Amino acid sequence: EEYVRKVIRPRPRDMHKGDCGHVLVIAGSAGMTGAAWLAAGACLRTGSGLVYVCTPKANFSVIQTLAPEAICIEWDEALRLLSGDNTNTGRHFSGYDAVAFGPGVGTGMQSKRRMKALLMTYGGPLVLDADGLNLIAGDDELKELVRSYPGEIVMTPHAGEAVRLL
């Protein structure tokens, strides 16, 4: 309790949500909306100021109902913002302070392409979970991109994912 009180201090009253970090969550696919919602909710509960959820458009209404403070975006916009391009988006920042990739995205070619683009475009803190880890386990090119990634990576495998990775 003492440690938590020392590390997690009350926020100033005049703080703006934009002062608390921009997080991108790349999660969910058809039938896996809950994975995107759980990941976005975790970011919101732990104090992220702005949480962007990159998920299929079919998931937007569910995400917006369960977490109305989350901002749903499509992949093309997420990729533009990853590269620091905020032209024609209405966003007033360049990139994200952290990215989470993997919950419920599946392990198909589209997810592989997105993960590769993420690893080649973004250099900041990255959390890899679930299908993100399964993609790495099954693809030598992605393994090499993870090994040479310039930023910090946090991997969150459960026992089965750890076995596949190791």
Side-chain angles (χ1 to χ4, degrees), residues 3-127:
Y3 173 77
V4 170
R5 288 180 196 267
K6 187 186 295 185
V7 174
I8 302 175
R9 298 195 175 132
R11 290 183 173 171
R13 288 177 140 336
D14 62 348
M15 184 173 275
H16 181 273
K17 64 184 175 186
D19 298 332
C20 300
H22 299 88
V23 176
L24 172 65
V25 175
I26 303 169
S29 59
M32 298 297 280
T33 310
W37 171 65
L38 287 168
C43 293
L44 291 163
R45 283 189 309 278
T46 56
S48 300
L50 291 167
V51 177
Y52 295 82
V53 183
C54 178
T55 192
K57 201 165 198 157
N59 294 345
F60 282 20
S61 63
V62 175
I63 299 296
Q64 294 287 235
T65 300
L66 296 172
E69 62 273 48
I71 302 163
C72 291
I73 61 174
E74 294 185 69
W75 173 250
D76 291 339
E77 182 179 359
L79 189 58
R80 271 195 308 276
L81 294 172
L82 280 167
S83 67
D85 177 5
N86 64 357
T87 56
N88 302 320
T89 65
R91 311 280 186 237
H92 302 290
F93 66 97
S94 58
Y96 301 95
D97 297 304
V99 174
F101 181 93
V105 297
T107 56
M109 283 307 296
Q110 184 178 49
S111 292
K112 278 186 184 184
R113 283 193 300 273
R114 287 181 176 172
M115 184 172 201
K116 181 178 177 182
L118 172 64
L119 291 167
M120 293 176 72
T121 305
Y122 183 65
L126 178 60
V127 176

